[in-house]
Structures are given as structure tokens and as C-alpha cells.
Amino acid sequence: MNAIEVCGVRKTYRRYGRRRQFATLKSALLSGRVLRDLRPDDTFDALKGVSFDVAAGKTFGIVGRNGSGKSTMLKLIAGIGRPTEGTVTVRGRVSALIELGAGFHPEISGRENVYINGMMLGLTRREVAARFDEVVAFAELEDFIDAPVKTYSSGMYMRLGFASAIHVDPDILLVDEVLAVGDEAFTHKCLDKFAEFHRRGRTVLLVTHSLDLVTRFCDDALWLDGGVARAQGDPKRVIDAYLLEVAKTEDLALGRAAAAAGEGRGPGARDSGLGTRDSDPDSESRIPDPESRMPDPESRLPDQHPDMSGAVEGRWGSREVEIAVVELLGPDGQPSHVFQSGDPMEIRLGVRAHRPVTDLVFGVGLFNAEGVCCYGTNTQIEGAASGAMSGDGEARFAIDRLDLVEGTYKVDVAAHRTSGAPYDYHRLLYTLRVTSPLKEVGVFRPPHRWNFSGGIRIAGLRPQDADR
């Protein structure tokens, strides 16, 4: 069942010219020009036919540049506004963190505000009293809870607002970029609370500019641009499409700035040698067809985990740098898809730059059958400076020991800019099977040994790799 359903939503705002910025009903009546003075000069569509569903128990992220309609959408879902067209259906108790301390009265104490806020969100006074100590402890305001809220810092304000909202035990939590003012420790507490909400089957709708947060916590994501839904689905894929658009916009802005300074590029400077993609102004902002220009990534394993059939696979990017060949090499240096736990493994990338680039990062990721990221890194994370490339080249990522428990795993490989905008991203396209004589659980299999003393006698333990 869906907790939130948004269908064909349009939200139109009226705009008035500067000459009538102070027009009111009273002034219009006194002047005798009611219809003329109160008629808007213009209308503005903040949202244009947006539709999406959020399943109950899922965490859903909305990303986009400033002015794209993210907060407007959140306010419609919260019931603060009503759509001009379309419908918004919400099932369950909603708690919204749209603005810091929204609904708090600055002249009264934090204690009184917690009670008022809780009752506004549907709790009785007795229910608020039962949760009051938890709210104060989470907000870390034990010494200041009886002080007027107007004396609070922005961080204290935010902590109290967040603690009040999450402790009403909502079915749906709406969060709009309120964690930016929290310190590191409190931010970790909030993220732990999000994870707890997810485990308890609560629905979270998150609007943020923190793209790492969306990738880490969200099951699905939506990219809004100018009030229009540009992409929806797998968070990594949506965010990469968004970063491509940002990179394209920045490139155009820099080109215009250079032209204004008398250093503009010639008319052929946009040609990157990538065929007709440069002639289509929207080509880099769209998510390419996963099958387009796709090398054969793998041979399917007959015993592949059934959950992998639902994985979101694909390939996208601007292709200025292209990963043309991907091979998983076993201990003998030959391509392989089956590895023994503890074996060395090497990922070889055959790379081609269609034009010279000076901003280049390589990355890899390893996922288990449930889609959990077991490990991910890139050259930037590991301290390397931004790379450069022209022509053809090869990148190798060597793993000395593949210390994973038995199971099926997927590999991501990518070449991208330091901003994260992808040149070529291969998502869940390469499969490897890890085998082991031991049927351990989890993901990581660290080298280990058992030691016993005293009266403990246990026989028959298999020797571990660490003892070899």
C-alpha cells in the first residue's frame, strides 16, 4: 500500500507588479477598482503535473536545485497548501519538519512549546507528558527547557523541533533540509533515528541538497527541475542524472563568462568527438538507455541469487571518458566470475578518452545480493589528486584478499569528475560468485581464530586462513 500518492499535481502562484505590491482588499474597495487592483499581473507554476507514489515503510528523497519546487511539494503533502490541479493522498499521521521550529512561540518556554506542538500534532496532554523526558533528552536541552524559545540558538531551535516531531511517533515523517545546522554528533543521532524509522516500517520523505544522504538512506528518489519531474527511481541513477545537468549548466555558465571576457571558445568547441550527442541540448541531462553502446558485461550464473532479478541495472554518463572493457581477474590473472573466499581479485578497466580531460576519478563498488553496499571507494576518497587522460589507457583495482562470505555479488565501476558527475557509470552490471566451505552469515569474513583456555574443550574446528 502507498503511504503517499501524488497525481498530476500543479501548483500555481499569483504574482503582482511592483506598482501594486501593497494592494489589499480594503484599498481596492476604497479606490473602487476591486477587479483591476486584485487581478494578478502574472501567474507562476511552481509544480507542473508532478506524479509519484511513496510505498509505506520506504524512505523517499527529493532532490533538485533551488526553486525547483521541492519545498512546495512537501508543503502540499503536509497539508499546509492545496494543489491548483491534481490530487495528493496521504495515509497516516504526518509529522513535518519543514522549517526550524515551525509553530513554536518565541515568548514562551521550550517546555510549553513541546506540549503545544505535541497537541497540534494529534497527541493528548497525557501522551505528551509521557514522552516529554525523551524529547528533552534527545534535544540535549535539559538545562534550557524552561527558558523562552527566543533565547535559543538556531541549533537549539532545530534540535527541539526535530525531537518534538519524531517523538509523536508519526506514520509519515516529512523533512526539509533541517539537519544543516546541527553539529556532527546530533546529525549522527538524527541519521540513526531515520534508520530506526526505516526498521519500524515508517515512511520518510526527505528533501535535501545532501546527495550522499539520499544515496545512503533512500529507497527511491525524485529529481525535480523547474517544477517538472525529470527522473525517478534508483537514487544513485537519479542523482547522477542530476549531477550531469549541474555539470552541463556550470560548463555553459563558464563558457558565457569566458565569452564575455573576450576569451570565448570558437563555434566548434562543443564538439567532443562523441557523435551526435553534443547536437542535442538535452542529451547529457537524460539518463541514457542502459543498452546503448553497451559491451557484454557478464555471463549469467545459473545459481544467481533470485533477488538480483529486481536490481536496477544500467549504464549512463556523458561518455567523454568511456569504460570500454571490464574484466574480473582471478588468482591466475585470467577472467573469472567465481572466486574462493580469501582469493585475490583484480578489476581491470579498459578506458578511452574521446577528448583530453583534466578532471578524472575512478571508482568501484561491491554489493551483495540484497543490494547492500559492502564496500565502495574511489581515487579521490583515497587521497589522489584529480587525474588527467587522453587517448586509451587501463586502470586496475587489486584486492589482495576477497574476504567475503559465500554468496553472489555485483560490481559497480565508474569514471567521473571530482564533483561526482559521471563520465561512464556501470551500475550492477558485473556478477561474481564467492564460494566457501564454511556457511557463515553476514557479508565480511575477517581472518580470525578461536582460542580457549581453562576447562573449555572444543574439538573439530576447521583451520582458518589466518593460521595458514
Side-chain angles (χ1 to χ4, degrees):
M1 185 179 70
N2 292 324
I4 301 170
E5 295 178 355
V6 176
C7 183
V9 165
R10 178 182 297 272
K11 181 61 179 177
T12 303
Y13 290 102
R14 293 173 290 181
R15 292 194 292 199
Y16 295 89
R18 187 177 297 274
R19 59 187 174 85
R20 288 201 295 273
Q21 60 180 326
F22 302 114
T24 63
L25 179 60
K26 179 180 177 181
S27 64
L29 289 171
L30 291 175
S31 67
R33 301 191 298 268
V34 177
L35 295 179
R36 192 180 74 180
D37 278 9
L38 296 183
R39 183 182 299 119
D41 291 322
D42 192 13
T43 59
F44 169 72
D45 288 334
L47 296 170
K48 306 171 185 177
V50 177
S51 299
F52 64 90
D53 297 328
V54 181
K58 297 296 184 180
T59 301
F60 191 90
I62 302 180
V63 299
R65 65 185 76 220
N66 291 329
S68 61
K70 304 186 300 297
S71 295
T72 299
M73 177 58 72
L74 213 61
K75 290 176 181 178
L76 297 183
I77 294 172
I80 296 173
R82 300 182 65 180
T84 307
E85 294 179 9
T87 59
V88 176
T89 304
V90 180
R91 300 181 178 92
R93 174 188 286 172
V94 177
S95 182
L97 276 170
I98 295 179
E99 295 179 9
L100 294 179
F104 284 177
H105 194 296
E107 298 295 334
I108 62 178
S109 69
R111 180 184 300 273
E112 293 167 308
N113 270 299
V114 169
Y115 274 90
I116 294 172
N117 193 262
M119 288 185 283
M120 288 175 61
L121 291 172
L123 299 181
T124 65
R125 187 176 184 86
R126 179 175 297 177
E127 288 174 324
V128 177
R131 305 174 192 193
F132 179 79
D133 290 341
E134 292 181 40
V135 172
V136 176
F138 191 92
E140 303 169 2
L141 291 175
E142 293 90 339
D143 296 333
F144 305 97
I145 194 62
D146 291 311
V149 167
K150 67 180 181 181
T151 64
Y152 288 4
S153 68
S154 60
M156 296 164 70
Y157 219 66
M158 184 276 296
R159 296 201 304 270
L160 187 61
F162 187 89
S164 299
I166 62 174
H167 282 88
V168 301
D169 197 24
D171 300 305
I172 302 171
L173 180 64
L174 309 179
V175 183
D176 185 5
E177 200 65 73
V178 298
L179 300 181
V181 297
D183 60 23
E184 192 71 13
F186 187 76
T187 298
H188 290 162
K189 286 175 63 175
C190 295
L191 298 181
D192 290 342
K193 204 67 179 179
F194 285 155
E196 179 188 333
F197 265 56
H198 194 275
R199 290 194 302 270
R200 293 168 57 197
R202 299 294 191 261
T203 305
V204 178
L205 186 63
L206 178 66
V207 169
T208 181
H209 290 290
S210 177
L211 304 183
D212 290 340
L213 196 64
V214 175
T215 304
R216 178 179 172 186
F217 282 99
C218 293
D219 300 297
D220 291 290
L222 172 71
W223 167 27
L224 287 178
D225 186 25
V228 177
R230 291 286 298 274
Q232 181 180 346
D234 173 50
K236 178 61 180 175
R237 189 166 186 168
V238 170
I239 287 171
D240 275 352
Y242 171 53
L243 288 173
L244 276 173
E245 178 66 17
V246 171
K248 175 185 174 184
T249 303
E250 290 177 346
D251 184 58
L252 292 174
L254 290 172
R256 286 194 294 266
E263 300 171 1
R265 296 177 294 176
R270 281 287 297 161
D271 183 10
S272 65
L274 298 181
T276 59
R277 283 196 300 275
D278 287 338
S279 63
D280 180 355
D282 294 325
S283 62
E284 290 183 3
S285 64
R286 290 197 302 263
I287 299 174
D289 181 355
E291 301 301 325
S292 64
R293 302 181 63 184
M294 196 66 200
D296 182 18
E298 60 181 338
S299 300
R300 299 289 179 179
L301 297 174
D303 57 346
Q304 183 172 317
H305 194 289
D307 287 352
M308 283 302 183
S309 62
V312 179
E313 300 181 354
R315 180 184 182 185
W316 58 88
S318 65
R319 306 288 179 88
E320 293 163 273
V321 176
E322 187 171 11
I323 301 175
V325 177
V326 178
E327 289 183 330
L328 309 180
L329 306 180
D332 59 356
Q334 297 301 310
S336 177
H337 292 291
V338 180
F339 297 83
Q340 178 77 18
S341 181
D343 278 352
M345 185 185 82
E346 189 170 73
I347 302 173
R348 186 182 75 85
L349 309 180
V351 188
R352 172 172 297 171
H354 292 276
R355 65 178 180 185
V357 296
T358 57
D359 184 3
L360 179 60
V361 176
F362 287 104
V364 298
L366 188 64
F367 296 79
N368 70 359
E370 287 74 37
V372 176
C373 182
C374 306
Y375 181 70
T377 189
N378 61 46
T379 53
Q380 183 182 17
I381 289 173
E382 299 191 17
S386 176
M389 183 178 181
S390 62
D392 295 343
E394 186 175 276
R396 289 177 178 251
F397 180 77
I399 301 174
D400 293 336
R401 292 177 55 91
L402 195 62
D403 286 320
L404 299 171
V405 302
E406 185 174 66
T408 302
Y409 297 85
K410 288 274 188 171
V411 176
D412 280 13
V413 296
H416 57 83
R417 304 184 187 189
T418 53
S419 68
Y423 293 123
D424 197 1
Y425 195 105
H426 296 211
R427 174 70 163 170
L428 304 177
L429 291 177
Y430 308 97
T431 300
L432 65 104
R433 177 75 178 171
V434 176
T435 62
S436 171
L438 306 178
K439 304 304 176 184
E440 300 150 311
V441 297
V443 175
F444 175 54
R445 184 178 182 269
H448 62 278
R449 62 177 59 85
W450 289 93
N451 294 303
F452 304 103
S453 62
I456 301 175
R457 297 290 184 271
I458 297 179
L461 285 176
R462 298 192 185 193
Q464 303 297 316
D465 293 336
D467 296 327
R468 291 178 183 175

